[in-house]
Every structure is written in structure tokens, then in C-alpha cells.
Amino acid sequence: MNKWTQKLSSRRLVISGAVLLGMYLILILAVTNVGQTRLKESQQRELGLKVQSYANVLELFFAVTTDHINNLSTGKSIQTFYANLASGMSMEYGLGASLSKVDRELLQVIETRKVHNKPVFERILLVNYNGSIISEMGNGHITNVNTAAYNDIQDTNILIDTTSESDGVHIKLVKPVQYSGKTVGYIIAQVNKNVIIEQMTIQEYEESYSRMDLTTESGSIFIWDTISNHKNSGDLGRNIYFEVPIENTPFKLKSWFEPLAEKDVFTSRWFTIGLSLLAIPVIGGLLYIFTINNINLVLRTKVQQSQRQQKMLSIKNKRLIEEVEKRKQSEQQLAYQASHDALTGLANRKFGNDLLERELDNAAKNKTNVLIIFIDLDNFKQINDTLGHLVGDMVLVESSQRILDLIAPSATLSRFGGDEFLLIIPGLKDANDGGKIASNILALFQQSFVSKNQEFFISTSIGMAMYPQDGVTAQQLLANADTAMYKVKEEGRNAFNFYNSDMNIDVQRALKLDSRLRQAIANEVLELYYQPIVNLKTKKIIGAEALMRWEDDVYGFIPPDEFIPIAEKNGLIHQLGEFALNSACYQAAKWQEIMPLQISVNFSSVQFRYYDRVLVLIESALQSSGLSADKLDIEITESLLFDHSDGVITLLNKLQNMGAQLTIDDFGTGYSALSYLQKFPFDRLKIDRAFLINMREDEGNRELVNAIIAMAKALNLEIVAEGIEDRWHDEYLKGIDCDFGQGYYYSRPLPAKEFEQLLQKESISAWF
């Protein structure tokens, strides 16, 4: 009984020991496997966070770059360019300057938007809606500009477009440019992918044994690869793989990481034998050590993971702070640009209005005066046209600086328009002080401007209005100061005027005449009169000048020197000119049956700005009327001599080659110069009537007329004298070899029917 009990007990002990040992071995192997699994899971989580942080960096990068392009598309330079383009400006008259500002802004974006001293954009294009390139800056490579592919882009969105080229994948940001609610073009910006690569690689270290690619449908952009050169790298298929989409972009971030090295504990024979032999005496210690080691390993992994995450968060927070600061600076810069003129640094029109409103509120509370001064540079367009826009910009900058040096700190100067400045002077005591300030400003411009060793002068016209005498709102004061300034221009420029209520009477008349002139043209109220031109030697009519007359139902007779300038300002001069030319050619062709006759038609210098249109108009009038070109005399005011282009000279040469006669009208009253006369192919010179008024009493006028006739003869030009009022004029001018004359001494301007009767009467008398 005792033996069996002992055997049973021993057997139980052996079985129990074997079971315990087996359980210990299984437990140890299971714990080892669980530990390795947890390590893998910990590594998987850590790497997932790392890849997600890379994706967040790229998402932030594209958000910032798209903001830059959004700001550029709505910026003042591009909007001003499309506004000028929509208004029909040519490259010579404003559009070229707008395009230069667009070029500078595109280049500035390339040069200033950098990460680690590398430009974010390699190349930026402004492309028209039809695909033509308007401006291109940078050294990037953009080969495909297919705007049809961008038509579906929403107005407020930016398309991130990727294309595969021979040198890899290219990234382009495409933003529609809106003007007046319509898409008029696109900004295409090529992103420097090296910046993206550097953004990513600076966060990784070489011993990480990983690989990362940025992929799109167009292909992949290689970021880094430290797996391929590692001796234990193996095949990519056994590595840890992540694929994370980049929010708001077409990109995906693909990553491979080498897992932790493992020991194959299940296939180690000696490990199993040794573990079996040592299991019983050391099982307790192994269990204790394994438990402590497992706890320590998990804790170390978590601590390391926490430290790395904290480091990454610190880097991201630092970059986020830097980006916030950049955005603040950008917003401050945009706010400054929105309220200040980019060229002079002065307050712009909108900000100037706001400052005026503020000063008027203060003046109303304190019961003080506010003086506003409109300063306009005279003939500034001629500076741009003759010396170039860079010189014009220099004049604007230097003019603003001269005025700033003169005024008190309490005064405010703003650039109100192209060559207009607004000066606001609060707390002015009386008008005399305002007159002194205006006189000092005029004196500033007695000093010359110098560009490239060339000295030139420019004057100003100044209009002033005072609160509350001349208006209580900003709009009233600005309108009245503007009226006073234009009164100065009408009176000869280079002076100043205070506003008075009589000026509004002239302005109101001009506005009403503008409206009635449009109605008169529509209702065909205007009429041509004809004044004969007489050969002074034979006293025979050789031609007639067509003169426009307007008899208004309300204002009565309106002289041409009043309504022609209005037509030139509002664009109606083209309709008036076409009416005058067609009517005169028709009548002249009809009168050729009575006697040979030349018809003189006046052209405005405004019409000659569109020289191609003028040529088509003249050819059409001659063809439709049947009048021979040699019977048409085209009279041009001498202001065209000073303000002209090469296209005008080409047009005049074409007209002369057609056979038409060219006459310089009102000679001697403006910018006449012999050098100008030599440039133009004129046939005839017309002396203005102003020189004949006091010619009998004024020896100076007689000498001047003698000199003009002598000069014209030297240039082989025929001479016509206007304003011959009596026989003395007739005899004197004939005696100094003047060819032709016209004036009341021969006949007043007559309607077509009466002039035709005059021709018939002279034709009959010629037979007897």
C-alpha cells in the first residue's frame, strides 16, 4: 500500500512537474511572442504618427502656397491690368505700364516666397482665357498651357495640376483670374518640388531605414530611400507600409519602414533544450525577470515614443508659430498695400477719402476749418509719351516728396489718381493761408526735374475748397476742388483757384450741353456751313472750308469752340468728324459740276490718335461720294505737331500719296516749331485770324505775319490767311505774296444751298 502510494505520489510529482515545466515553457514562449507582438504594434503606431505628421506638413505647405496665388490673382496689379485691357487701352497708353507692374509682382512672389532660402515657385505665368501667355517669370519649365482643361475650375478654387514630363512629375497651381464676375485668365504657378523634398528629408535621419514617395495619377516624386543600401533590407514586401492621402490635394504619401530585428525563438533547438534543463531551478527567476523586462521594455518604448512625438509636436508648433507670424506680416502688408500707393508710398484714393471724412468729423466737433487742395501735374501724359513711363514714375515720386517736405506734420497728402494729388490741411485759419500754401507748391515746380542728364520742367494746376464754406461732405468738397482745378486748366494752367459758386454754373452748362449734343447728333440737328476760300490775286473762289453749326432749341447758337472740346472729351468727336467728312465730300462732289472746287474739312487731333480708323473713314467717304482725292483738303490743328506718334506721320504720308492735300490750321497759336513742320508732309499753312485782328495798328503782328509767310515760302507751302475783314487786309496780304484768303470781306459761312447759289453766280460771271 505504501509502495503504490509512494509510486503514485512520485508519478504525480513527475507528471505535475512535467506539466508545470511544459506550462512554464509554453508560458515563456507565449509571453515572448506577446512581447514581440506588442513591440511591433508600438512601432506600427509610432510610424503611423510619423507618416501622418509628414502628411500634415505637406497639407500646410499647399494651403500656404495656394493662399499666395489667391492673393496674387486678386491683387491690384493684375486687376488693374485687366481693367485697362477691358477699357481698350493700348500698350502705349497705360496697358504697357500695367503689364510691367504685373511682371514685377510675379517676379516679387518668386523672389520672396522661399523656404530655407529656396524659392517655393520656379515659374509663374499669367495666361489669357484663350491660352496666350501675357506674362511669364521664373526659370521653370511649363510646356502645356491648355486653358480648355481649366474651364471647369470654380471661381474661388485653385486646381493642383500634376503632369509627367521627361524630367519627372511637375506640380502646377492653376487659379482663375476674375474680372467683373467673369474668368478672364489664369495664373499658373509651377511649384519647386525640391522644396517639398527638403521639407520632408530634414525631418528624417539616415539610419531610419525607410523609403518615402509622393504619388499622383501622373506619377511619383521620389523623397528618400535609406532601405535599398541597408544590408538587411530585403524585399520591400516584408517592410511596414503606409499610404496616407494629403488632404485637399491629389497626392498620396507612400512609406516603407524596416521592422525591428527578430529572433526565431520557436526554431532554436539549443534554446529549447537549455530552457528545458534550466526550467525547474530558474523558472521562478525567469518569470520574474521576464515580467520586469517586459514591463521595462513597454515603458521604454512608450517613453521613447512619447519623446519623439513631443519633439515632432514641438517642431510643428515652432513651424506653425512661424507660419502664423508670416501670415500676420502678410496681412499687414496687404492692409498697407490696400491703403497706400505702391509707387509713392502715399495714401491711395480710398484711404485719402477715409482720412478726409475723419478730418471733417473732427472739424465739425471742434468748429474749425479744413482746406483740401487738388494738385494736378500739367501735361503729364507728354512726359510718359516722350520720355517714357520710368521717367514719369520718377516725376511722381519726386513731386510727392517735394510736397511732403513743404507741408506741416498735421497735413495729409494722398495720391488721388494717375497724376493727381489730394492735400488735406486741417485747422486752417483763413483763405490767405491757403493761398500762401498753394503759391509755395507752385514755386516747388519752378525747380527742374533731371533724368539721365536731361533737364525738363513741369507745372501744376491747383484747385481748392474749404470746409464748411464750400461744402460739408467729402463728396461736395472734392467735387468743388476738382471744379476749381479744371477752371485753372481752362485758363492756361500753372496757377491756383479757390472754388466759387459761379464755377458750378459753367460746369452745369457743360454737362447740359454734353447731354444736348448727344441728342443733337441722334436727331441730326447739326448742319455744315461753307465759307469760300479766295485766290487773292484773281479773287476767284478756289475752295471752301466746311464749318459745323449747332442751333439748339434751348441755348440757341452754340459756337464750335464750345461744343467741339466737349465732343473731344466725351468721345463724340468721332461721330461729328464722320458726319462732317461725309457731308462735305458729298456736297463737293456735287459742286464739281458747277466749277472745280477744293473742300477743306477740319480734323481733331483726338481723331488722329486712331490713325488707322481715320484712313478707313477718309477712303470710305471719297469712294461713296465719288469725290477725287485731290479735291479734299484735310485741315489739322497744330497741337498735333507736338503730341504725335510715328503712326500719325505714316498716315499723313499715305494721305498725301493718295492725292489729298494737307493743311496745318491755326498756325502760330500753340507749339509751332520749324523742326515739327519739316517732319510732316504739309502742302498748305493757314495763318490764324488772331494775327489779323490788330495787324493794321500793331507793327509786331505785321512782322509776325511777314515772318510766317516767309518761312512758309521757304518750305514751299501755300499760305491761307483767315479772318480777312476789310480791303486793307486783302491788299496788304496780297502785297506780301499771301496766296489765299477767307473771311467776312468775301463771304460769311453759308448753308449748302446759299453757297451753291454763290458758286453758280460766280460761274455765270466767269462767262462774261
Side-chain angles (χ1 to χ4, degrees):
M1 190 71 177
N2 291 333
K3 287 183 178 181
W4 285 104
T5 302
Q6 289 178 352
K7 288 181 179 180
L8 182 59
S9 298
S10 298
R11 187 175 181 180
R12 287 178 178 175
L13 287 174
V14 172
I15 293 173
S16 298
V19 169
L20 287 173
L21 182 58
M23 291 174 64
Y24 288 152
L25 290 175
I26 293 171
L27 181 62
I28 291 174
L29 293 175
V31 169
T32 302
N33 186 50
V34 168
Q36 290 177 343
T37 301
R38 289 185 178 179
L39 281 175
K40 289 180 182 179
E41 292 174 353
S42 175
Q43 183 189 27
Q44 190 88 2
R45 287 193 300 270
E46 177 188 352
L47 294 177
L49 288 173
K50 179 188 291 188
V51 174
Q52 186 60 51
S53 88
Y54 290 152
N56 293 340
V57 169
L58 289 179
E59 181 183 353
L60 180 60
F61 172 81
F62 281 105
V64 172
T65 54
T66 53
D67 279 351
H68 293 329
I69 301 305
N70 269 325
N71 294 337
L72 182 61
S73 71
T74 58
K76 180 178 179 181
S77 296
I78 291 179
Q79 291 297 311
T80 301
F81 170 78
Y82 277 104
N84 291 343
L85 184 63
S87 67
M89 283 190 179
S90 65
M91 291 299 291
E92 296 178 351
Y93 295 99
L95 192 58
S98 299
L99 184 57
S100 298
K101 290 182 180 180
V102 171
D103 291 342
R104 289 197 298 269
E105 185 162 346
L106 297 186
L107 185 59
Q108 183 182 12
V109 170
I110 293 175
E111 292 176 347
T112 58
R113 302 297 186 264
K114 294 183 177 181
V115 175
H116 301 296
N117 294 323
K118 289 186 178 180
V120 174
F121 303 104
E122 290 183 299
R123 190 171 185 80
I124 302 178
L125 277 69
L126 177 60
V127 180
N128 211 340
Y129 190 79
N130 60 8
S132 60
I133 296 176
I134 297 173
S135 175
E136 53 183 342
M137 287 292 159
N139 300 317
H141 180 65
I142 299 178
T143 58
N144 297 321
V145 183
N146 181 14
T147 56
Y150 306 143
N151 290 342
D152 294 331
I153 305 176
Q154 295 296 323
D155 298 342
T156 57
N157 292 346
I158 287 185
L159 172 66
I160 302 177
D161 186 22
T162 59
T163 55
S164 179
E165 304 285 351
S166 58
D167 56 345
V169 175
H170 288 186
I171 304 172
K172 294 178 287 188
L173 305 182
V174 182
K175 169 65 180 177
V177 178
Q178 296 288 306
Y179 180 75
S180 296
K182 295 181 179 180
T183 300
V184 293
Y186 300 91
I187 295 176
I188 302 177
Q190 181 176 347
V191 178
N192 186 354
K193 60 185 179 184
N194 292 327
V195 172
I196 297 175
I197 294 173
E198 185 173 339
Q199 283 272 85
M200 307 297 290
T201 54
I202 59 173
Q203 304 178 57
E204 197 60 27
Y205 53 92
E206 193 170 353
E207 287 79 18
S208 63
Y209 305 123
S210 59
R211 173 175 175 171
M212 189 166 291
D213 292 341
L214 189 63
T215 65
T216 68
E217 293 181 358
S218 301
S220 299
I221 299 175
F222 173 78
I223 305 298
W224 75 69
D225 184 4
T226 56
I227 291 181
S228 300
N229 297 328
H230 186 217
K231 62 182 180 179
N232 297 322
S233 63
D235 183 25
L236 281 179
R238 65 179 294 274
N239 293 293
I240 300 173
Y241 172 74
F242 294 92
E243 181 175 320
V244 178
I246 311 300
E247 293 294 329
N248 302 317
T249 74
F251 299 104
K252 292 183 179 179
L253 193 62
K254 294 185 177 181
S255 306
W256 294 264
F257 295 88
E258 185 174 298
L260 293 174
E262 297 179 22
K263 295 288 186 177
D264 190 356
V265 297
F266 292 101
T267 58
S268 177
R269 179 181 176 187
W270 294 108
F271 174 77
T272 304
I273 295 173
L275 186 62
S276 300
L277 293 173
L278 298 174
I280 296 174
V282 299
I283 192 67
L286 288 175
L287 286 172
Y288 176 77
I289 292 172
F290 178 79
T291 303
I292 297 302
N293 183 63
N294 185 54
I295 293 172
N296 289 339
L297 182 61
V298 172
L299 287 175
R300 284 197 304 271
T301 302
K302 289 183 177 181
V303 168
Q304 289 176 358
Q305 180 181 353
S306 176
Q307 288 175 344
R308 289 180 182 178
Q309 289 177 349
Q310 185 176 3
K311 183 177 179 181
M312 289 300 300
L313 286 173
S314 176
I315 294 173
K316 289 175 68 175
N317 287 337
K318 182 179 179 182
R319 290 177 179 171
L320 185 59
I321 292 171
E322 291 176 353
E323 190 59 37
V324 169
E325 290 298 323
K326 288 180 181 178
R327 287 201 176 190
K328 286 182 179 179
Q329 293 176 2
S330 177
E331 289 172 358
Q332 292 172 356
Q333 184 178 5
L334 288 173
Y336 179 84
Q337 291 174 350
S339 60
H340 287 76
D341 175 52
L343 178 65
T344 62
L346 300 175
N348 60 18
R349 185 188 189 97
K350 182 180 181 304
F351 194 40
N353 272 325
D354 294 341
L355 293 174
L356 178 56
E357 295 278 5
R358 195 179 307 164
E359 292 295 347
L360 293 181
D361 289 341
N362 293 335
K365 294 176 183 177
N366 302 324
K367 296 183 179 180
T368 57
N369 295 324
V370 177
L371 176 67
I372 67 168
I373 302 177
F374 253 144
I375 305 168
D376 184 87
L377 304 184
D378 296 329
N379 299 316
F380 181 73
K381 178 179 179 297
Q382 294 171 2
I383 297 294
N384 277 335
D385 292 346
T386 57
L387 301 179
H389 288 280
L390 291 179
V391 177
D393 289 347
M394 180 274 291
V395 169
L396 291 172
V397 172
E398 188 170 336
S399 297
S400 63
Q401 191 57 53
R402 289 183 184 183
I403 300 172
L404 286 172
D405 293 340
L406 172 69
I407 62 178
S410 59
T412 302
L413 181 67
S414 63
R415 185 181 176 194
F416 217 63
D419 59 345
E420 287 185 341
F421 298 90
L422 173 66
L423 180 57
I424 306 170
I425 302 176
L428 191 74
K429 294 181 180 178
D430 54 44
N432 291 332
D433 291 340
K436 292 177 183 178
I437 294 171
S439 298
N440 291 336
I441 293 174
L442 290 176
L444 290 176
F445 290 88
Q446 293 176 3
Q447 307 169 31
S448 65
F449 293 85
V450 179
S451 174
K452 296 180 180 178
N453 298 322
Q454 182 177 0
E455 186 180 38
F456 57 93
F457 293 84
I458 192 168
S459 62
T460 60
S461 297
I462 299 175
M464 295 183 286
M466 187 176 293
Y467 171 88
Q469 296 91 322
D470 300 327
V472 294
T473 66
Q475 290 77 9
Q476 291 173 343
L477 290 169
L478 292 172
N480 292 339
D482 192 52
T483 299
M485 184 266 291
Y486 274 102
K487 190 68 175 176
V488 173
K489 286 191 174 292
E490 290 176 1
E491 294 173 352
R493 301 183 173 90
N494 195 25
F496 67 86
N497 250 340
F498 281 95
Y499 169 78
N500 64 67
S501 57
D502 291 339
M503 293 178 180
N504 265 339
I505 298 175
D506 296 336
V507 172
Q508 291 299 322
R509 176 178 170 86
L511 290 174
K512 289 179 180 178
L513 286 181
D514 182 295
S515 175
R516 296 198 65 80
L517 180 58
R518 296 177 188 273
Q519 295 175 16
I521 294 173
N523 298 329
E524 299 181 354
V525 173
L526 286 90
E527 184 180 2
L528 282 188
Y529 277 48
Y530 300 88
Q531 185 173 33
I533 300 174
V534 177
N535 186 312
L536 294 182
K537 293 181 180 178
T538 65
K539 297 298 183 290
K540 300 295 183 183
I541 298 175
I542 57 94
E545 181 179 4
L547 301 169
M548 194 166 294
R549 294 292 182 263
W550 178 21
E551 189 75 28
D552 185 69
D553 294 339
V554 176
Y555 292 98
F557 175 72
I558 312 296
D561 58 0
E562 184 175 6
F563 72 80
I564 292 297
I566 294 175
E568 289 179 333
K569 289 179 182 178
N570 61 21
L572 294 175
I573 191 65
H574 302 291
Q575 292 175 254
L576 292 181
E578 184 174 357
F579 161 72
L581 180 63
N582 288 331
S583 299
C585 288
Y586 171 78
Q587 289 292 352
K590 179 181 176 183
W591 292 334
Q592 299 304 315
E593 299 175 359
I594 302 173
M595 61 184 298
L597 181 75
Q598 236 182 10
I599 191 72
S600 297
V601 181
N602 291 283
F603 279 78
S604 166
S605 59
V606 175
Q607 290 177 268
F608 269 81
R609 293 176 189 168
Y610 306 90
Y611 36 82
D612 292 336
R613 178 178 175 181
V614 169
L615 180 61
V616 172
L617 180 64
I618 293 173
E619 290 175 338
S620 175
L622 292 174
Q623 183 178 2
S624 61
S625 66
L627 182 67
S628 175
D630 63 334
K631 298 301 180 184
L632 176 62
D633 179 17
I634 298 171
E635 292 193 7
I636 307 164
T637 57
E638 68 168 358
S639 61
L640 183 68
L641 300 180
F642 186 77
D643 185 12
H644 71 277
S645 64
D646 292 338
V648 172
I649 298 177
T650 302
L651 170 62
L652 294 179
N653 285 322
K654 288 181 178 179
L655 292 175
Q656 193 176 60
N657 292 335
M658 287 168 51
Q661 181 165 286
L662 302 176
T663 297
I664 176 69
D665 193 14
D666 298 335
F667 186 81
T669 61
Y671 305 99
S672 305
L674 183 61
S675 60
Y676 286 136
L677 283 178
Q678 291 174 323
K679 290 181 182 178
F680 290 82
F682 288 113
D683 304 292
R684 184 179 289 178
L685 182 149
K686 187 174 272 192
I687 302 174
D688 189 76
R689 69 182 71 248
F691 296 109
L692 272 67
I693 294 174
N694 298 319
M695 190 170 68
R696 182 184 299 184
E697 297 82 10
D698 190 337
E699 184 179 355
N701 269 5
R702 290 198 300 273
E703 292 300 326
L704 186 56
V705 170
N706 293 342
I708 292 174
I709 291 176
M711 179 189 67
K713 291 295 182 182
L715 294 173
N716 294 321
L717 298 177
E718 293 180 336
I719 306 110
V720 181
E722 288 185 306
I724 298 177
E725 305 294 338
D726 53 36
R727 185 174 180 179
W728 186 90
H729 285 143
D730 177 81
E731 294 294 336
Y732 182 83
L733 291 168
K734 181 174 65 175
I736 59 175
D737 205 18
C738 181
D739 300 301
F740 310 106
Q742 68 181 96
Y744 283 11
Y745 179 64
Y746 309 113
S747 173
R748 292 175 176 271
L750 301 172
K753 290 183 179 180
E754 294 181 24
F755 185 80
E756 185 172 331
Q757 293 172 1
L758 180 65
L759 289 180
Q760 290 173 342
K761 181 179 178 181
E762 179 161 324
S763 176
I764 293 172
S765 64
W767 289 92
F768 298 97

